Amino acid sequence: MLVNLAYLLNQPTGTTTYALNLLPHLAQLDPCFLATPASGLAHYTPVPTNLTAEYGMGGHVRRLLWTQFQIPAIYHQQTRSQRAASLLFSPITEAPLGTRCRFVVTVHDLIPLRFPTLSRPLTWLYRHYVPRVLAAAEHIICNSQATADDIIQSYGIRAQKITPILLAYDAQHFQPLGLIRHNYFLVLGRHAPYKNIATAISAFAKLPPKHPYELWIAGPPDARYTPQLQTQIQTLGLTHQVKFLDYVSYHQLPILLNQALALVFPSLWEGFGLPALEAMACGTPVIASNLASIPEVTSDAAILIDPHCDQALMAAMATIIHDDACRKQLSQAGLQRAEQFSWQATGQATVAVLRNSL
């Protein structure tokens, strides 16, 4: 089996975290990994290093071309050797089309299709390339029932071809650290409209004036949208209370979560919602959207709000500030909910799908 890891980032986001946590479990299938040194693998077949999102749109284009023309050559070369390749597994929704390669792909979300103004090139891919990949796939893995429903409704793929497998978190990394809670609410997510950061800012602005709390926004900026958030903050007079942290490293994230009053996660759509799970695993109260996959992740262990209503989000923030009992209950419920997720279970379920497709 070939495993395509050409997309892995040096600064991990959700899709990279997903793949890296699957690797120990995939080893039992004796795979050949297609990767760069960023993967940290001891044994792999090297691929060009300029195929990732870190190289902008050019990186995406080069990776798609490499996927279409180079992976089939490697696949068929493996097939002719003693180390036969009878399946390609791609942990993202990319695979060579019109070839004899058999493949399984993972769909993380259909955000570019659901919010087409985010990025025209990605929207084009999700309208014209992704449906062809899914139609040709031996099987499709996705990370929530909400994403499975999106695939069925958007592309007409039959449900029997799709297996939802929930993601997980590193229990050795994300856990209560016994740190003192500070006076900030934390928003995690890149600066994109569907992350709904503007509503979090509006809700924070509705809290009583001169309160001592802060809103920390952690995530990569975007030249198209970050200036709008900065203007909103200035207009609302929140310059000294709202803090941009940019990208937060994997090492720093548990500390940031452990010291926050609560995670504020008002996303308009998520394929899974990993930050909510990681926050619960740290014992940090979660205020989250009631849409898409997020209720699948949090169940009743979070305050779920309508993400279009800044008044509801403000009320949830006020509850966190003033209700000690609620805060403690959410912390305990979050820890108990997080215990139901593990990469061991995710890995075993993924291997079972791949074995059935070999």
Side-chain angles (χ1 to χ4, degrees), residues 332-354:
Q332 187 59 41
L335 289 169
Q336 293 173 353
R337 177 63 178 166
E339 288 178 353
Q340 299 177 36
F341 298 80
S342 75
W343 284 118
Q344 178 73 19
T346 301
Q348 288 177 347
T350 302
V351 167
V353 170
L354 296 174

PDB file of all heavy atoms in Angstrom, residues 332-354:
ATOM      1  N   GLN A 332     -15.485  19.366  34.086  1.00  0.00           N
ATOM      2  CA  GLN A 332     -15.560  17.938  34.374  1.00  0.00           C
ATOM      3  C   GLN A 332     -16.233  17.168  33.241  1.00  0.00           C
ATOM      4  O   GLN A 332     -15.777  16.087  32.840  1.00  0.00           O
ATOM      5  CB  GLN A 332     -16.322  17.714  35.680  1.00  0.00           C
ATOM      6  CG  GLN A 332     -16.309  16.265  36.166  1.00  0.00           C
ATOM      7  CD  GLN A 332     -14.899  15.750  36.407  1.00  0.00           C
ATOM      8  OE1 GLN A 332     -14.046  16.467  36.936  1.00  0.00           O
ATOM      9  NE2 GLN A 332     -14.656  14.505  36.038  1.00  0.00           N
ATOM     10  N   ALA A 333     -17.317  17.732  32.707  1.00  0.00           N
ATOM     11  CA  ALA A 333     -18.020  17.071  31.610  1.00  0.00           C
ATOM     12  C   ALA A 333     -17.130  16.978  30.374  1.00  0.00           C
ATOM     13  O   ALA A 333     -17.159  15.973  29.644  1.00  0.00           O
ATOM     14  CB  ALA A 333     -19.308  17.832  31.282  1.00  0.00           C
ATOM     15  N   GLY A 334     -16.335  18.010  30.137  1.00  0.00           N
ATOM     16  CA  GLY A 334     -15.429  18.001  28.997  1.00  0.00           C
ATOM     17  C   GLY A 334     -14.375  16.913  29.119  1.00  0.00           C
ATOM     18  O   GLY A 334     -14.064  16.216  28.142  1.00  0.00           O
ATOM     19  N   LEU A 335     -13.813  16.759  30.305  1.00  0.00           N
ATOM     20  CA  LEU A 335     -12.818  15.711  30.530  1.00  0.00           C
ATOM     21  C   LEU A 335     -13.427  14.327  30.285  1.00  0.00           C
ATOM     22  O   LEU A 335     -12.802  13.460  29.664  1.00  0.00           O
ATOM     23  CB  LEU A 335     -12.269  15.803  31.949  1.00  0.00           C
ATOM     24  CG  LEU A 335     -11.351  16.999  32.246  1.00  0.00           C
ATOM     25  CD1 LEU A 335     -11.090  17.117  33.743  1.00  0.00           C
ATOM     26  CD2 LEU A 335     -10.027  16.854  31.489  1.00  0.00           C
ATOM     27  N   GLN A 336     -14.633  14.121  30.787  1.00  0.00           N
ATOM     28  CA  GLN A 336     -15.293  12.824  30.600  1.00  0.00           C
ATOM     29  C   GLN A 336     -15.619  12.573  29.124  1.00  0.00           C
ATOM     30  O   GLN A 336     -15.461  11.455  28.627  1.00  0.00           O
ATOM     31  CB  GLN A 336     -16.564  12.772  31.451  1.00  0.00           C
ATOM     32  CG  GLN A 336     -16.291  12.759  32.947  1.00  0.00           C
ATOM     33  CD  GLN A 336     -17.559  12.873  33.774  1.00  0.00           C
ATOM     34  OE1 GLN A 336     -18.647  13.086  33.235  1.00  0.00           O
ATOM     35  NE2 GLN A 336     -17.428  12.758  35.086  1.00  0.00           N
ATOM     36  N   ARG A 337     -16.045  13.612  28.432  1.00  0.00           N
ATOM     37  CA  ARG A 337     -16.350  13.460  27.009  1.00  0.00           C
ATOM     38  C   ARG A 337     -15.086  13.153  26.211  1.00  0.00           C
ATOM     39  O   ARG A 337     -15.088  12.288  25.325  1.00  0.00           O
ATOM     40  CB  ARG A 337     -17.009  14.739  26.485  1.00  0.00           C
ATOM     41  CG  ARG A 337     -17.306  14.735  24.990  1.00  0.00           C
ATOM     42  CD  ARG A 337     -18.286  13.668  24.609  1.00  0.00           C
ATOM     43  NE  ARG A 337     -18.597  13.697  23.177  1.00  0.00           N
ATOM     44  CZ  ARG A 337     -19.211  12.723  22.534  1.00  0.00           C
ATOM     45  NH1 ARG A 337     -19.585  11.618  23.179  1.00  0.00           N
ATOM     46  NH2 ARG A 337     -19.462  12.821  21.242  1.00  0.00           N
ATOM     47  N   ALA A 338     -13.990  13.831  26.513  1.00  0.00           N
ATOM     48  CA  ALA A 338     -12.745  13.634  25.772  1.00  0.00           C
ATOM     49  C   ALA A 338     -12.223  12.213  25.913  1.00  0.00           C
ATOM     50  O   ALA A 338     -11.579  11.683  24.986  1.00  0.00           O
ATOM     51  CB  ALA A 338     -11.695  14.632  26.253  1.00  0.00           C
ATOM     52  N   GLU A 339     -12.497  11.567  27.035  1.00  0.00           N
ATOM     53  CA  GLU A 339     -12.028  10.198  27.258  1.00  0.00           C
ATOM     54  C   GLU A 339     -12.615   9.208  26.248  1.00  0.00           C
ATOM     55  O   GLU A 339     -12.104   8.102  26.087  1.00  0.00           O
ATOM     56  CB  GLU A 339     -12.373   9.748  28.683  1.00  0.00           C
ATOM     57  CG  GLU A 339     -11.538  10.426  29.761  1.00  0.00           C
ATOM     58  CD  GLU A 339     -11.944   9.996  31.159  1.00  0.00           C
ATOM     59  OE1 GLU A 339     -12.962   9.274  31.277  1.00  0.00           O
ATOM     60  OE2 GLU A 339     -11.264  10.396  32.120  1.00  0.00           O
ATOM     61  N   GLN A 340     -13.681   9.607  25.576  1.00  0.00           N
ATOM     62  CA  GLN A 340     -14.321   8.713  24.615  1.00  0.00           C
ATOM     63  C   GLN A 340     -13.634   8.721  23.250  1.00  0.00           C
ATOM     64  O   GLN A 340     -14.029   7.973  22.348  1.00  0.00           O
ATOM     65  CB  GLN A 340     -15.797   9.102  24.460  1.00  0.00           C
ATOM     66  CG  GLN A 340     -16.582   9.000  25.759  1.00  0.00           C
ATOM     67  CD  GLN A 340     -18.019   9.456  25.610  1.00  0.00           C
ATOM     68  OE1 GLN A 340     -18.650   9.234  24.579  1.00  0.00           O
ATOM     69  NE2 GLN A 340     -18.551  10.104  26.633  1.00  0.00           N
ATOM     70  N   PHE A 341     -12.597   9.557  23.075  1.00  0.00           N
ATOM     71  CA  PHE A 341     -11.890   9.671  21.810  1.00  0.00           C
ATOM     72  C   PHE A 341     -10.452   9.193  21.983  1.00  0.00           C
ATOM     73  O   PHE A 341      -9.799   9.528  22.977  1.00  0.00           O
ATOM     74  CB  PHE A 341     -11.863  11.121  21.320  1.00  0.00           C
ATOM     75  CG  PHE A 341     -13.222  11.708  21.036  1.00  0.00           C
ATOM     76  CD1 PHE A 341     -14.022  12.177  22.068  1.00  0.00           C
ATOM     77  CD2 PHE A 341     -13.699  11.793  19.736  1.00  0.00           C
ATOM     78  CE1 PHE A 341     -15.271  12.719  21.819  1.00  0.00           C
ATOM     79  CE2 PHE A 341     -14.935  12.331  19.467  1.00  0.00           C
ATOM     80  CZ  PHE A 341     -15.731  12.795  20.507  1.00  0.00           C
ATOM     81  N   SER A 342      -9.944   8.442  21.021  1.00  0.00           N
ATOM     82  CA  SER A 342      -8.537   8.035  21.071  1.00  0.00           C
ATOM     83  C   SER A 342      -8.033   7.783  19.658  1.00  0.00           C
ATOM     84  O   SER A 342      -8.790   7.305  18.796  1.00  0.00           O
ATOM     85  CB  SER A 342      -8.352   6.772  21.918  1.00  0.00           C
ATOM     86  OG  SER A 342      -8.806   5.627  21.231  1.00  0.00           O
ATOM     87  N   TRP A 343      -6.755   8.070  19.430  1.00  0.00           N
ATOM     88  CA  TRP A 343      -6.158   7.781  18.124  1.00  0.00           C
ATOM     89  C   TRP A 343      -6.063   6.276  17.901  1.00  0.00           C
ATOM     90  O   TRP A 343      -6.026   5.808  16.764  1.00  0.00           O
ATOM     91  CB  TRP A 343      -4.793   8.443  18.004  1.00  0.00           C
ATOM     92  CG  TRP A 343      -4.870   9.918  17.751  1.00  0.00           C
ATOM     93  CD1 TRP A 343      -4.404  10.929  18.544  1.00  0.00           C
ATOM     94  CD2 TRP A 343      -5.459  10.560  16.606  1.00  0.00           C
ATOM     95  NE1 TRP A 343      -4.675  12.159  17.977  1.00  0.00           N
ATOM     96  CE2 TRP A 343      -5.320  11.965  16.788  1.00  0.00           C
ATOM     97  CE3 TRP A 343      -6.099  10.094  15.459  1.00  0.00           C
ATOM     98  CZ2 TRP A 343      -5.786  12.890  15.862  1.00  0.00           C
ATOM     99  CZ3 TRP A 343      -6.567  11.026  14.523  1.00  0.00           C
ATOM    100  CH2 TRP A 343      -6.416  12.406  14.727  1.00  0.00           C
ATOM    101  N   GLN A 344      -6.017   5.514  18.989  1.00  0.00           N
ATOM    102  CA  GLN A 344      -6.012   4.063  18.858  1.00  0.00           C
ATOM    103  C   GLN A 344      -7.295   3.600  18.155  1.00  0.00           C
ATOM    104  O   GLN A 344      -7.248   2.806  17.207  1.00  0.00           O
ATOM    105  CB  GLN A 344      -5.905   3.405  20.238  1.00  0.00           C
ATOM    106  CG  GLN A 344      -5.927   1.884  20.237  1.00  0.00           C
ATOM    107  CD  GLN A 344      -4.646   1.269  19.719  1.00  0.00           C
ATOM    108  OE1 GLN A 344      -3.616   1.929  19.687  1.00  0.00           O
ATOM    109  NE2 GLN A 344      -4.716   0.014  19.305  1.00  0.00           N
ATOM    110  N   ALA A 345      -8.435   4.104  18.612  1.00  0.00           N
ATOM    111  CA  ALA A 345      -9.712   3.735  17.998  1.00  0.00           C
ATOM    112  C   ALA A 345      -9.798   4.254  16.563  1.00  0.00           C
ATOM    113  O   ALA A 345     -10.263   3.541  15.653  1.00  0.00           O
ATOM    114  CB  ALA A 345     -10.866   4.277  18.829  1.00  0.00           C
ATOM    115  N   THR A 346      -9.354   5.499  16.339  1.00  0.00           N
ATOM    116  CA  THR A 346      -9.372   6.073  14.991  1.00  0.00           C
ATOM    117  C   THR A 346      -8.479   5.265  14.058  1.00  0.00           C
ATOM    118  O   THR A 346      -8.860   4.949  12.923  1.00  0.00           O
ATOM    119  CB  THR A 346      -8.898   7.538  15.037  1.00  0.00           C
ATOM    120  OG1 THR A 346      -9.749   8.287  15.910  1.00  0.00           O
ATOM    121  CG2 THR A 346      -8.933   8.168  13.648  1.00  0.00           C
ATOM    122  N   GLY A 347      -7.283   4.919  14.544  1.00  0.00           N
ATOM    123  CA  GLY A 347      -6.347   4.157  13.729  1.00  0.00           C
ATOM    124  C   GLY A 347      -6.869   2.776  13.400  1.00  0.00           C
ATOM    125  O   GLY A 347      -6.770   2.311  12.249  1.00  0.00           O
ATOM    126  N   GLN A 348      -7.440   2.089  14.375  1.00  0.00           N
ATOM    127  CA  GLN A 348      -7.954   0.735  14.143  1.00  0.00           C
ATOM    128  C   GLN A 348      -9.100   0.751  13.138  1.00  0.00           C
ATOM    129  O   GLN A 348      -9.181  -0.119  12.256  1.00  0.00           O
ATOM    130  CB  GLN A 348      -8.410   0.120  15.471  1.00  0.00           C
ATOM    131  CG  GLN A 348      -7.274  -0.265  16.399  1.00  0.00           C
ATOM    132  CD  GLN A 348      -7.756  -0.809  17.717  1.00  0.00           C
ATOM    133  OE1 GLN A 348      -8.940  -0.692  18.068  1.00  0.00           O
ATOM    134  NE2 GLN A 348      -6.853  -1.407  18.490  1.00  0.00           N
ATOM    135  N   ALA A 349      -9.990   1.720  13.268  1.00  0.00           N
ATOM    136  CA  ALA A 349     -11.115   1.817  12.333  1.00  0.00           C
ATOM    137  C   ALA A 349     -10.630   2.122  10.921  1.00  0.00           C
ATOM    138  O   ALA A 349     -11.167   1.598   9.928  1.00  0.00           O
ATOM    139  CB  ALA A 349     -12.099   2.876  12.810  1.00  0.00           C
ATOM    140  N   THR A 350      -9.608   2.969  10.805  1.00  0.00           N
ATOM    141  CA  THR A 350      -9.039   3.315   9.496  1.00  0.00           C
ATOM    142  C   THR A 350      -8.378   2.099   8.864  1.00  0.00           C
ATOM    143  O   THR A 350      -8.561   1.825   7.665  1.00  0.00           O
ATOM    144  CB  THR A 350      -8.040   4.468   9.639  1.00  0.00           C
ATOM    145  OG1 THR A 350      -8.681   5.605  10.224  1.00  0.00           O
ATOM    146  CG2 THR A 350      -7.459   4.861   8.286  1.00  0.00           C
ATOM    147  N   VAL A 351      -7.597   1.371   9.634  1.00  0.00           N
ATOM    148  CA  VAL A 351      -6.936   0.160   9.120  1.00  0.00           C
ATOM    149  C   VAL A 351      -7.971  -0.853   8.646  1.00  0.00           C
ATOM    150  O   VAL A 351      -7.789  -1.512   7.611  1.00  0.00           O
ATOM    151  CB  VAL A 351      -6.008  -0.452  10.204  1.00  0.00           C
ATOM    152  CG1 VAL A 351      -5.568  -1.854   9.817  1.00  0.00           C
ATOM    153  CG2 VAL A 351      -4.796   0.445  10.421  1.00  0.00           C
ATOM    154  N   ALA A 352      -9.083  -0.970   9.371  1.00  0.00           N
ATOM    155  CA  ALA A 352     -10.134  -1.914   8.964  1.00  0.00           C
ATOM    156  C   ALA A 352     -10.700  -1.551   7.599  1.00  0.00           C
ATOM    157  O   ALA A 352     -10.914  -2.432   6.742  1.00  0.00           O
ATOM    158  CB  ALA A 352     -11.247  -1.928  10.017  1.00  0.00           C
ATOM    159  N   VAL A 353     -10.926  -0.261   7.343  1.00  0.00           N
ATOM    160  CA  VAL A 353     -11.415   0.180   6.038  1.00  0.00           C
ATOM    161  C   VAL A 353     -10.394  -0.125   4.950  1.00  0.00           C
ATOM    162  O   VAL A 353     -10.733  -0.627   3.871  1.00  0.00           O
ATOM    163  CB  VAL A 353     -11.731   1.685   6.063  1.00  0.00           C
ATOM    164  CG1 VAL A 353     -12.014   2.206   4.644  1.00  0.00           C
ATOM    165  CG2 VAL A 353     -12.953   1.958   6.940  1.00  0.00           C
ATOM    166  N   LEU A 354      -9.125   0.162   5.223  1.00  0.00           N
ATOM    167  CA  LEU A 354      -8.083  -0.060   4.230  1.00  0.00           C
ATOM    168  C   LEU A 354      -7.893  -1.545   3.941  1.00  0.00           C
ATOM    169  O   LEU A 354      -7.713  -1.945   2.769  1.00  0.00           O
ATOM    170  CB  LEU A 354      -6.770   0.571   4.706  1.00  0.00           C
ATOM    171  CG  LEU A 354      -6.795   2.103   4.851  1.00  0.00           C
ATOM    172  CD1 LEU A 354      -5.498   2.617   5.459  1.00  0.00           C
ATOM    173  CD2 LEU A 354      -7.052   2.778   3.508  1.00  0.00           C
TER     174      LEU A 354
END
